[in-house]
PDB file of all heavy atoms in Angstrom:
ATOM      1  N   ASN A   1      82.386 115.110  89.365  1.00 79.00           N
ATOM      2  CA  ASN A   1      83.844 115.148  89.467  1.00 79.00           C
ATOM      3  C   ASN A   1      84.487 114.989  88.095  1.00 79.00           C
ATOM      4  O   ASN A   1      85.674 115.196  87.939  1.00 79.00           O
ATOM      5  CB  ASN A   1      84.349 114.020  90.381  1.00 79.00           C
ATOM      6  CG  ASN A   1      84.100 114.315  91.839  1.00 79.00           C
ATOM      7  OD1 ASN A   1      84.017 115.463  92.254  1.00 79.00           O
ATOM      8  ND2 ASN A   1      83.969 113.277  92.636  1.00 79.00           N
ATOM      9  N   ILE A   2      83.693 114.584  87.114  1.00 80.00           N
ATOM     10  CA  ILE A   2      84.196 114.340  85.758  1.00 80.00           C
ATOM     11  C   ILE A   2      84.036 115.615  84.932  1.00 80.00           C
ATOM     12  O   ILE A   2      82.942 116.159  84.825  1.00 80.00           O
ATOM     13  CB  ILE A   2      83.421 113.182  85.094  1.00 80.00           C
ATOM     14  CG1 ILE A   2      83.561 111.895  85.886  1.00 80.00           C
ATOM     15  CG2 ILE A   2      83.842 112.980  83.645  1.00 80.00           C
ATOM     16  CD1 ILE A   2      84.950 111.308  85.940  1.00 80.00           C
ATOM     17  N   GLU A   3      85.129 116.056  84.376  1.00 83.00           N
ATOM     18  CA  GLU A   3      85.095 117.218  83.483  1.00 83.00           C
ATOM     19  C   GLU A   3      84.573 116.762  82.124  1.00 83.00           C
ATOM     20  O   GLU A   3      84.730 115.592  81.748  1.00 83.00           O
ATOM     21  CB  GLU A   3      86.495 117.815  83.333  1.00 83.00           C
ATOM     22  CG  GLU A   3      87.071 118.369  84.627  1.00 83.00           C
ATOM     23  CD  GLU A   3      86.327 119.576  85.131  1.00 83.00           C
ATOM     24  OE1 GLU A   3      85.821 120.369  84.310  1.00 83.00           O
ATOM     25  OE2 GLU A   3      86.244 119.741  86.365  1.00 83.00           O
ATOM     26  N   PRO A   4      83.950 117.676  81.360  1.00 79.00           N
ATOM     27  CA  PRO A   4      83.396 117.274  80.054  1.00 79.00           C
ATOM     28  C   PRO A   4      84.409 116.556  79.157  1.00 79.00           C
ATOM     29  O   PRO A   4      84.066 115.581  78.500  1.00 79.00           O
ATOM     30  CB  PRO A   4      82.960 118.607  79.436  1.00 79.00           C
ATOM     31  CG  PRO A   4      82.662 119.475  80.605  1.00 79.00           C
ATOM     32  CD  PRO A   4      83.676 119.079  81.668  1.00 79.00           C
ATOM     33  N   HIS A   5      85.664 116.997  79.162  1.00 81.00           N
ATOM     34  CA  HIS A   5      86.661 116.363  78.293  1.00 81.00           C
ATOM     35  C   HIS A   5      87.098 114.982  78.811  1.00 81.00           C
ATOM     36  O   HIS A   5      87.747 114.231  78.088  1.00 81.00           O
ATOM     37  CB  HIS A   5      87.883 117.280  78.128  1.00 81.00           C
ATOM     38  CG  HIS A   5      88.670 117.486  79.385  1.00 81.00           C
ATOM     39  ND1 HIS A   5      88.298 118.400  80.338  1.00 81.00           N
ATOM     40  CD2 HIS A   5      89.770 116.869  79.859  1.00 81.00           C
ATOM     41  CE1 HIS A   5      89.149 118.363  81.345  1.00 81.00           C
ATOM     42  NE2 HIS A   5      90.046 117.442  81.084  1.00 81.00           N
ATOM     43  N   GLU A   6      86.728 114.606  80.032  1.00 88.00           N
ATOM     44  CA  GLU A   6      87.094 113.303  80.597  1.00 88.00           C
ATOM     45  C   GLU A   6      86.021 112.240  80.400  1.00 88.00           C
ATOM     46  O   GLU A   6      86.265 111.056  80.633  1.00 88.00           O
ATOM     47  CB  GLU A   6      87.369 113.445  82.100  1.00 88.00           C
ATOM     48  CG  GLU A   6      88.519 114.364  82.430  1.00 88.00           C
ATOM     49  CD  GLU A   6      88.644 114.638  83.915  1.00 88.00           C
ATOM     50  OE1 GLU A   6      87.597 114.870  84.571  1.00 88.00           O
ATOM     51  OE2 GLU A   6      89.777 114.611  84.411  1.00 88.00           O
ATOM     52  N   GLU A   7      84.837 112.643  79.975  1.00 87.00           N
ATOM     53  CA  GLU A   7      83.716 111.709  79.891  1.00 87.00           C
ATOM     54  C   GLU A   7      83.955 110.593  78.875  1.00 87.00           C
ATOM     55  O   GLU A   7      83.636 109.432  79.133  1.00 87.00           O
ATOM     56  CB  GLU A   7      82.417 112.452  79.591  1.00 87.00           C
ATOM     57  CG  GLU A   7      81.201 111.657  79.959  1.00 87.00           C
ATOM     58  CD  GLU A   7      79.924 112.475  79.992  1.00 87.00           C
ATOM     59  OE1 GLU A   7      79.952 113.689  79.726  1.00 87.00           O
ATOM     60  OE2 GLU A   7      78.885 111.873  80.273  1.00 87.00           O
ATOM     61  N   GLU A   8      84.533 110.908  77.724  1.00 89.00           N
ATOM     62  CA  GLU A   8      84.809 109.876  76.714  1.00 89.00           C
ATOM     63  C   GLU A   8      85.820 108.860  77.234  1.00 89.00           C
ATOM     64  O   GLU A   8      85.677 107.660  77.003  1.00 89.00           O
ATOM     65  CB  GLU A   8      85.281 110.498  75.399  1.00 89.00           C
ATOM     66  CG  GLU A   8      84.168 111.131  74.592  1.00 89.00           C
ATOM     67  CD  GLU A   8      82.997 110.179  74.340  1.00 89.00           C
ATOM     68  OE1 GLU A   8      83.209 109.019  73.925  1.00 89.00           O
ATOM     69  OE2 GLU A   8      81.842 110.608  74.554  1.00 89.00           O
ATOM     70  N   LEU A   9      86.845 109.331  77.956  1.00 92.00           N
ATOM     71  CA  LEU A   9      87.818 108.405  78.542  1.00 92.00           C
ATOM     72  C   LEU A   9      87.138 107.513  79.580  1.00 92.00           C
ATOM     73  O   LEU A   9      87.397 106.307  79.631  1.00 92.00           O
ATOM     74  CB  LEU A   9      88.978 109.174  79.183  1.00 92.00           C
ATOM     75  CG  LEU A   9      90.008 108.317  79.919  1.00 92.00           C
ATOM     76  CD1 LEU A   9      90.645 107.281  78.993  1.00 92.00           C
ATOM     77  CD2 LEU A   9      91.067 109.201  80.565  1.00 92.00           C
ATOM     78  N   ALA A  10      86.245 108.078  80.390  1.00 92.00           N
ATOM     79  CA  ALA A  10      85.515 107.288  81.382  1.00 92.00           C
ATOM     80  C   ALA A  10      84.689 106.206  80.700  1.00 92.00           C
ATOM     81  O   ALA A  10      84.671 105.049  81.147  1.00 92.00           O
ATOM     82  CB  ALA A  10      84.622 108.199  82.232  1.00 92.00           C
ATOM     83  N   LYS A  11      84.021 106.543  79.599  1.00 91.00           N
ATOM     84  CA  LYS A  11      83.231 105.554  78.859  1.00 91.00           C
ATOM     85  C   LYS A  11      84.113 104.420  78.343  1.00 91.00           C
ATOM     86  O   LYS A  11      83.748 103.247  78.414  1.00 91.00           O
ATOM     87  CB  LYS A  11      82.490 106.219  77.695  1.00 91.00           C
ATOM     88  CG  LYS A  11      81.344 107.105  78.131  1.00 91.00           C
ATOM     89  CD  LYS A  11      80.692 107.797  76.949  1.00 91.00           C
ATOM     90  CE  LYS A  11      79.604 108.754  77.418  1.00 91.00           C
ATOM     91  NZ  LYS A  11      78.994 109.485  76.303  1.00 91.00           N
ATOM     92  N   LYS A  12      85.298 104.761  77.848  1.00 92.00           N
ATOM     93  CA  LYS A  12      86.217 103.741  77.347  1.00 92.00           C
ATOM     94  C   LYS A  12      86.700 102.843  78.484  1.00 92.00           C
ATOM     95  O   LYS A  12      86.762 101.620  78.333  1.00 92.00           O
ATOM     96  CB  LYS A  12      87.410 104.380  76.641  1.00 92.00           C
ATOM     97  CG  LYS A  12      88.365 103.327  76.080  1.00 92.00           C
ATOM     98  CD  LYS A  12      89.565 103.927  75.420  1.00 92.00           C
ATOM     99  CE  LYS A  12      90.535 102.924  74.879  1.00 92.00           C
ATOM    100  NZ  LYS A  12      90.538 101.586  75.397  1.00 92.00           N
ATOM    101  N   LEU A  13      87.023 103.419  79.620  1.00 93.00           N
ATOM    102  CA  LEU A  13      87.473 102.613  80.760  1.00 93.00           C
ATOM    103  C   LEU A  13      86.372 101.677  81.253  1.00 93.00           C
ATOM    104  O   LEU A  13      86.633 100.528  81.608  1.00 93.00           O
ATOM    105  CB  LEU A  13      87.956 103.521  81.890  1.00 93.00           C
ATOM    106  CG  LEU A  13      89.230 104.308  81.611  1.00 93.00           C
ATOM    107  CD1 LEU A  13      89.492 105.314  82.730  1.00 93.00           C
ATOM    108  CD2 LEU A  13      90.414 103.368  81.435  1.00 93.00           C
ATOM    109  N   ILE A  14      85.129 102.161  81.256  1.00 93.00           N
ATOM    110  CA  ILE A  14      84.002 101.317  81.653  1.00 93.00           C
ATOM    111  C   ILE A  14      83.831 100.176  80.653  1.00 93.00           C
ATOM    112  O   ILE A  14      83.649  99.019  81.038  1.00 93.00           O
ATOM    113  CB  ILE A  14      82.716 102.159  81.801  1.00 93.00           C
ATOM    114  CG1 ILE A  14      82.833 103.061  83.038  1.00 93.00           C
ATOM    115  CG2 ILE A  14      81.473 101.282  81.872  1.00 93.00           C
ATOM    116  CD1 ILE A  14      81.812 104.162  83.118  1.00 93.00           C
ATOM    117  N   ASP A  15      83.906 100.476  79.353  1.00 93.00           N
ATOM    118  CA  ASP A  15      83.827  99.431  78.327  1.00 93.00           C
ATOM    119  C   ASP A  15      84.931  98.388  78.533  1.00 93.00           C
ATOM    120  O   ASP A  15      84.680  97.187  78.482  1.00 93.00           O
ATOM    121  CB  ASP A  15      83.955 100.019  76.928  1.00 93.00           C
ATOM    122  CG  ASP A  15      82.627 100.432  76.334  1.00 93.00           C
ATOM    123  OD1 ASP A  15      81.578 100.110  76.921  1.00 93.00           O
ATOM    124  OD2 ASP A  15      82.644 101.079  75.271  1.00 93.00           O
ATOM    125  N   ASP A  16      86.166  98.863  78.759  1.00 93.00           N
ATOM    126  CA  ASP A  16      87.295  97.950  78.962  1.00 93.00           C
ATOM    127  C   ASP A  16      87.053  97.043  80.167  1.00 93.00           C
ATOM    128  O   ASP A  16      87.339  95.838  80.122  1.00 93.00           O
ATOM    129  CB  ASP A  16      88.598  98.722  79.143  1.00 93.00           C
ATOM    130  CG  ASP A  16      89.067  99.425  77.877  1.00 93.00           C
ATOM    131  OD1 ASP A  16      88.518  99.144  76.782  1.00 93.00           O
ATOM    132  OD2 ASP A  16      89.979 100.266  77.992  1.00 93.00           O
ATOM    133  N   GLN A  17      86.523  97.614  81.252  1.00 92.00           N
ATOM    134  CA  GLN A  17      86.252  96.822  82.446  1.00 92.00           C
ATOM    135  C   GLN A  17      85.166  95.776  82.161  1.00 92.00           C
ATOM    136  O   GLN A  17      85.286  94.623  82.565  1.00 92.00           O
ATOM    137  CB  GLN A  17      85.845  97.717  83.610  1.00 92.00           C
ATOM    138  CG  GLN A  17      85.642  96.933  84.899  1.00 92.00           C
ATOM    139  CD  GLN A  17      85.208  97.804  86.047  1.00 92.00           C
ATOM    140  OE1 GLN A  17      84.338  98.656  85.888  1.00 92.00           O
ATOM    141  NE2 GLN A  17      85.792  97.578  87.196  1.00 92.00           N
ATOM    142  N   PHE A  18      84.118  96.175  81.455  1.00 93.00           N
ATOM    143  CA  PHE A  18      83.055  95.217  81.121  1.00 93.00           C
ATOM    144  C   PHE A  18      83.569  94.121  80.197  1.00 93.00           C
ATOM    145  O   PHE A  18      83.186  92.962  80.339  1.00 93.00           O
ATOM    146  CB  PHE A  18      81.843  95.930  80.520  1.00 93.00           C
ATOM    147  CG  PHE A  18      80.804  96.267  81.546  1.00 93.00           C
ATOM    148  CD1 PHE A  18      80.947  97.374  82.347  1.00 93.00           C
ATOM    149  CD2 PHE A  18      79.702  95.453  81.734  1.00 93.00           C
ATOM    150  CE1 PHE A  18      80.008  97.678  83.321  1.00 93.00           C
ATOM    151  CE2 PHE A  18      78.757  95.743  82.706  1.00 93.00           C
ATOM    152  CZ  PHE A  18      78.909  96.866  83.494  1.00 93.00           C
ATOM    153  N   VAL A  19      84.434  94.458  79.264  1.00 94.00           N
ATOM    154  CA  VAL A  19      85.007  93.441  78.379  1.00 94.00           C
ATOM    155  C   VAL A  19      85.810  92.439  79.206  1.00 94.00           C
ATOM    156  O   VAL A  19      85.699  91.228  79.013  1.00 94.00           O
ATOM    157  CB  VAL A  19      85.872  94.078  77.269  1.00 94.00           C
ATOM    158  CG1 VAL A  19      86.705  93.027  76.546  1.00 94.00           C
ATOM    159  CG2 VAL A  19      84.997  94.824  76.278  1.00 94.00           C
ATOM    160  N   SER A  20      86.596  92.928  80.173  1.00 93.00           N
ATOM    161  CA  SER A  20      87.388  91.998  80.985  1.00 93.00           C
ATOM    162  C   SER A  20      86.506  91.142  81.891  1.00 93.00           C
ATOM    163  O   SER A  20      86.835  89.992  82.175  1.00 93.00           O
ATOM    164  CB  SER A  20      88.437  92.755  81.808  1.00 93.00           C
ATOM    165  OG  SER A  20      87.852  93.472  82.862  1.00 93.00           O
ATOM    166  N   MET A  21      85.361  91.667  82.332  1.00 91.00           N
ATOM    167  CA  MET A  21      84.479  90.928  83.230  1.00 91.00           C
ATOM    168  C   MET A  21      83.508  90.018  82.478  1.00 91.00           C
ATOM    169  O   MET A  21      83.166  88.946  82.978  1.00 91.00           O
ATOM    170  CB  MET A  21      83.681  91.898  84.115  1.00 91.00           C
ATOM    171  CG  MET A  21      84.549  92.637  85.102  1.00 91.00           C
ATOM    172  SD  MET A  21      83.747  93.861  86.194  1.00 91.00           S
ATOM    173  CE  MET A  21      82.141  94.095  85.628  1.00 91.00           C
ATOM    174  N   THR A  22      83.036  90.447  81.316  1.00 94.00           N
ATOM    175  CA  THR A  22      81.950  89.720  80.639  1.00 94.00           C
ATOM    176  C   THR A  22      82.283  89.285  79.218  1.00 94.00           C
ATOM    177  O   THR A  22      81.516  88.535  78.624  1.00 94.00           O
ATOM    178  CB  THR A  22      80.681  90.600  80.566  1.00 94.00           C
ATOM    179  OG1 THR A  22      80.917  91.685  79.655  1.00 94.00           O
ATOM    180  CG2 THR A  22      80.273  91.130  81.925  1.00 94.00           C
ATOM    181  N   GLY A  23      83.368  89.806  78.662  1.00 95.00           N
ATOM    182  CA  GLY A  23      83.700  89.506  77.273  1.00 95.00           C
ATOM    183  C   GLY A  23      83.014  90.428  76.280  1.00 95.00           C
ATOM    184  O   GLY A  23      83.219  90.310  75.082  1.00 95.00           O
ATOM    185  N   GLN A  24      82.188  91.362  76.784  1.00 95.00           N
ATOM    186  CA  GLN A  24      81.455  92.290  75.920  1.00 95.00           C
ATOM    187  C   GLN A  24      81.528  93.702  76.489  1.00 95.00           C
ATOM    188  O   GLN A  24      81.573  93.879  77.700  1.00 95.00           O
ATOM    189  CB  GLN A  24      79.996  91.867  75.828  1.00 95.00           C
ATOM    190  CG  GLN A  24      79.797  90.486  75.243  1.00 95.00           C
ATOM    191  CD  GLN A  24      78.336  90.085  75.262  1.00 95.00           C
ATOM    192  OE1 GLN A  24      77.485  90.827  74.797  1.00 95.00           O
ATOM    193  NE2 GLN A  24      78.046  88.927  75.825  1.00 95.00           N
ATOM    194  N   PRO A  25      81.509  94.722  75.621  1.00 93.00           N
ATOM    195  CA  PRO A  25      81.507  96.101  76.132  1.00 93.00           C
ATOM    196  C   PRO A  25      80.171  96.439  76.793  1.00 93.00           C
ATOM    197  O   PRO A  25      79.178  95.734  76.621  1.00 93.00           O
ATOM    198  CB  PRO A  25      81.723  96.957  74.883  1.00 93.00           C
ATOM    199  CG  PRO A  25      81.254  96.103  73.757  1.00 93.00           C
ATOM    200  CD  PRO A  25      81.480  94.680  74.159  1.00 93.00           C
ATOM    201  N   PHE A  26      80.175  97.518  77.552  1.00 94.00           N
ATOM    202  CA  PHE A  26      78.944  97.978  78.194  1.00 94.00           C
ATOM    203  C   PHE A  26      78.096  98.676  77.145  1.00 94.00           C
ATOM    204  O   PHE A  26      78.499  99.683  76.575  1.00 94.00           O
ATOM    205  CB  PHE A  26      79.254  98.941  79.340  1.00 94.00           C
ATOM    206  CG  PHE A  26      78.025  99.396  80.057  1.00 94.00           C
ATOM    207  CD1 PHE A  26      77.388  98.560  80.957  1.00 94.00           C
ATOM    208  CD2 PHE A  26      77.481 100.650  79.818  1.00 94.00           C
ATOM    209  CE1 PHE A  26      76.246  98.961  81.612  1.00 94.00           C
ATOM    210  CE2 PHE A  26      76.331 101.058  80.467  1.00 94.00           C
ATOM    211  CZ  PHE A  26      75.712 100.222  81.368  1.00 94.00           C
ATOM    212  N   ASP A  27      76.905  98.145  76.883  1.00 94.00           N
ATOM    213  CA  ASP A  27      76.059  98.738  75.852  1.00 94.00           C
ATOM    214  C   ASP A  27      74.630  98.985  76.327  1.00 94.00           C
ATOM    215  O   ASP A  27      73.735  99.187  75.515  1.00 94.00           O
ATOM    216  CB  ASP A  27      76.073  97.895  74.582  1.00 94.00           C
ATOM    217  CG  ASP A  27      75.588  96.469  74.813  1.00 94.00           C
ATOM    218  OD1 ASP A  27      75.223  96.125  75.957  1.00 94.00           O
ATOM    219  OD2 ASP A  27      75.584  95.691  73.851  1.00 94.00           O
ATOM    220  N   MET A  28      74.421  98.997  77.640  1.00 96.00           N
ATOM    221  CA  MET A  28      73.092  99.315  78.161  1.00 96.00           C
ATOM    222  C   MET A  28      72.814 100.795  77.920  1.00 96.00           C
ATOM    223  O   MET A  28      73.669 101.636  78.176  1.00 96.00           O
ATOM    224  CB  MET A  28      73.007  99.013  79.662  1.00 96.00           C
ATOM    225  CG  MET A  28      71.646  99.327  80.260  1.00 96.00           C
ATOM    226  SD  MET A  28      71.608  99.202  82.068  1.00 96.00           S
ATOM    227  CE  MET A  28      71.726  97.457  82.312  1.00 96.00           C
ATOM    228  N   LYS A  29      71.626 101.092  77.432  1.00 96.00           N
ATOM    229  CA  LYS A  29      71.215 102.475  77.200  1.00 96.00           C
ATOM    230  C   LYS A  29      69.958 102.729  78.020  1.00 96.00           C
ATOM    231  O   LYS A  29      68.866 102.300  77.633  1.00 96.00           O
ATOM    232  CB  LYS A  29      70.962 102.705  75.713  1.00 96.00           C
ATOM    233  CG  LYS A  29      72.231 102.617  74.875  1.00 96.00           C
ATOM    234  CD  LYS A  29      71.923 102.754  73.412  1.00 96.00           C
ATOM    235  CE  LYS A  29      73.116 102.735  72.521  1.00 96.00           C
ATOM    236  NZ  LYS A  29      74.206 101.896  72.838  1.00 96.00           N
ATOM    237  N   PRO A  30      70.092 103.423  79.155  1.00 97.00           N
ATOM    238  CA  PRO A  30      68.915 103.691  79.980  1.00 97.00           C
ATOM    239  C   PRO A  30      67.896 104.530  79.214  1.00 97.00           C
ATOM    240  O   PRO A  30      68.258 105.417  78.444  1.00 97.00           O
ATOM    241  CB  PRO A  30      69.455 104.471  81.169  1.00 97.00           C
ATOM    242  CG  PRO A  30      70.928 104.364  81.099  1.00 97.00           C
ATOM    243  CD  PRO A  30      71.294 104.000  79.711  1.00 97.00           C
ATOM    244  N   ALA A  31      66.638 104.250  79.441  1.00 97.00           N
ATOM    245  CA  ALA A  31      65.564 105.000  78.803  1.00 97.00           C
ATOM    246  C   ALA A  31      65.266 106.266  79.604  1.00 97.00           C
ATOM    247  O   ALA A  31      65.479 106.323  80.814  1.00 97.00           O
ATOM    248  CB  ALA A  31      64.312 104.133  78.710  1.00 97.00           C
ATOM    249  N   GLY A  32      64.752 107.265  78.903  1.00 97.00           N
ATOM    250  CA  GLY A  32      64.245 108.471  79.549  1.00 97.00           C
ATOM    251  C   GLY A  32      65.208 109.124  80.507  1.00 97.00           C
ATOM    252  O   GLY A  32      66.332 109.441  80.163  1.00 97.00           O
ATOM    253  N   TYR A  33      64.765 109.286  81.743  1.00 97.00           N
ATOM    254  CA  TYR A  33      65.533 110.018  82.756  1.00 97.00           C
ATOM    255  C   TYR A  33      66.292 109.089  83.702  1.00 97.00           C
ATOM    256  O   TYR A  33      66.757 109.512  84.762  1.00 97.00           O
ATOM    257  CB  TYR A  33      64.594 110.929  83.558  1.00 97.00           C
ATOM    258  CG  TYR A  33      63.481 110.167  84.257  1.00 97.00           C
ATOM    259  CD1 TYR A  33      63.671 109.660  85.531  1.00 97.00           C
ATOM    260  CD2 TYR A  33      62.264 109.945  83.630  1.00 97.00           C
ATOM    261  CE1 TYR A  33      62.666 108.949  86.172  1.00 97.00           C
ATOM    262  CE2 TYR A  33      61.257 109.246  84.260  1.00 97.00           C
ATOM    263  CZ  TYR A  33      61.462 108.749  85.528  1.00 97.00           C
ATOM    264  OH  TYR A  33      60.475 108.044  86.154  1.00 97.00           O
ATOM    265  N   LEU A  34      66.466 107.827  83.322  1.00 97.00           N
ATOM    266  CA  LEU A  34      67.131 106.867  84.199  1.00 97.00           C
ATOM    267  C   LEU A  34      68.649 106.937  84.083  1.00 97.00           C
ATOM    268  O   LEU A  34      69.198 107.298  83.036  1.00 97.00           O
ATOM    269  CB  LEU A  34      66.653 105.453  83.906  1.00 97.00           C
ATOM    270  CG  LEU A  34      65.180 105.196  84.193  1.00 97.00           C
ATOM    271  CD1 LEU A  34      64.788 103.788  83.767  1.00 97.00           C
ATOM    272  CD2 LEU A  34      64.859 105.426  85.660  1.00 97.00           C
ATOM    273  N   VAL A  35      69.304 106.556  85.182  1.00 97.00           N
ATOM    274  CA  VAL A  35      70.759 106.502  85.258  1.00 97.00           C
ATOM    275  C   VAL A  35      71.128 105.051  85.562  1.00 97.00           C
ATOM    276  O   VAL A  35      70.567 104.444  86.476  1.00 97.00           O
ATOM    277  CB  VAL A  35      71.284 107.438  86.371  1.00 97.00           C
ATOM    278  CG1 VAL A  35      72.793 107.334  86.513  1.00 97.00           C
ATOM    279  CG2 VAL A  35      70.872 108.890  86.096  1.00 97.00           C
ATOM    280  N   ALA A  36      72.055 104.491  84.777  1.00 97.00           N
ATOM    281  CA  ALA A  36      72.529 103.120  85.009  1.00 97.00           C
ATOM    282  C   ALA A  36      73.840 103.188  85.784  1.00 97.00           C
ATOM    283  O   ALA A  36      74.777 103.875  85.365  1.00 97.00           O
ATOM    284  CB  ALA A  36      72.741 102.390  83.686  1.00 97.00           C
ATOM    285  N   VAL A  37      73.885 102.483  86.919  1.00 96.00           N
ATOM    286  CA  VAL A  37      75.077 102.487  87.756  1.00 96.00           C
ATOM    287  C   VAL A  37      75.525 101.056  88.047  1.00 96.00           C
ATOM    288  O   VAL A  37      74.718 100.149  88.156  1.00 96.00           O
ATOM    289  CB  VAL A  37      74.843 103.251  89.085  1.00 96.00           C
ATOM    290  CG1 VAL A  37      74.558 104.719  88.829  1.00 96.00           C
ATOM    291  CG2 VAL A  37      73.733 102.619  89.910  1.00 96.00           C
ATOM    292  N   LYS A  38      76.834 100.879  88.165  1.00 94.00           N
ATOM    293  CA  LYS A  38      77.428  99.599  88.558  1.00 94.00           C
ATOM    294  C   LYS A  38      77.637  99.652  90.062  1.00 94.00           C
ATOM    295  O   LYS A  38      78.318 100.529  90.572  1.00 94.00           O
ATOM    296  CB  LYS A  38      78.754  99.382  87.842  1.00 94.00           C
ATOM    297  CG  LYS A  38      79.461  98.094  88.214  1.00 94.00           C
ATOM    298  CD  LYS A  38      80.805  98.021  87.488  1.00 94.00           C
ATOM    299  CE  LYS A  38      81.653  96.904  87.999  1.00 94.00           C
ATOM    300  NZ  LYS A  38      82.155  97.129  89.351  1.00 94.00           N
ATOM    301  N   ILE A  39      77.031  98.712  90.772  1.00 91.00           N
ATOM    302  CA  ILE A  39      77.113  98.677  92.224  1.00 91.00           C
ATOM    303  C   ILE A  39      78.543  98.320  92.644  1.00 91.00           C
ATOM    304  O   ILE A  39      79.149  97.391  92.108  1.00 91.00           O
ATOM    305  CB  ILE A  39      76.115  97.633  92.801  1.00 91.00           C
ATOM    306  CG1 ILE A  39      74.689  97.948  92.349  1.00 91.00           C
ATOM    307  CG2 ILE A  39      76.222  97.536  94.316  1.00 91.00           C
ATOM    308  CD1 ILE A  39      74.160  99.280  92.786  1.00 91.00           C
ATOM    309  N   TYR A  40      79.056  99.053  93.617  1.00 87.00           N
ATOM    310  CA  TYR A  40      80.395  98.780  94.125  1.00 87.00           C
ATOM    311  C   TYR A  40      80.382  97.526  94.993  1.00 87.00           C
ATOM    312  O   TYR A  40      79.586  97.407  95.919  1.00 87.00           O
ATOM    313  CB  TYR A  40      80.902  99.968  94.947  1.00 87.00           C
ATOM    314  CG  TYR A  40      82.246  99.708  95.595  1.00 87.00           C
ATOM    315  CD1 TYR A  40      83.386  99.585  94.821  1.00 87.00           C
ATOM    316  CD2 TYR A  40      82.361  99.571  96.974  1.00 87.00           C
ATOM    317  CE1 TYR A  40      84.616  99.342  95.394  1.00 87.00           C
ATOM    318  CE2 TYR A  40      83.588  99.337  97.561  1.00 87.00           C
ATOM    319  CZ  TYR A  40      84.713  99.218  96.767  1.00 87.00           C
ATOM    320  OH  TYR A  40      85.931  98.976  97.354  1.00 87.00           O
TER     321      TYR A  40
END
């Protein structure tokens, strides 16, 4: 559902949410073919 030009904004919003929840930006980098997801 995310257009290529929206991906950077999505990353920033995720970072902002992690900063508000944890005090730190989201910096997990999945290895290989893995996808990191935040459980709803």
Side-chain angles (χ1 to χ4, degrees):
N1 285 333
I2 300 294
E3 296 293 327
H5 66 278
E6 298 172 317
E7 200 166 0
E8 284 307 312
L9 176 59
K11 289 177 184 177
K12 181 182 179 338
L13 292 172
I14 290 166
D15 271 351
D16 291 348
Q17 184 181 44
F18 266 80
V19 167
S20 72
M21 292 178 350
T22 69
Q24 299 176 51
F26 182 77
D27 59 1
M28 180 188 289
K29 293 176 178 36
Y33 59 89
L34 296 176
V35 177
V37 296
K38 179 183 170 290
I39 303 299
Y40 176 68

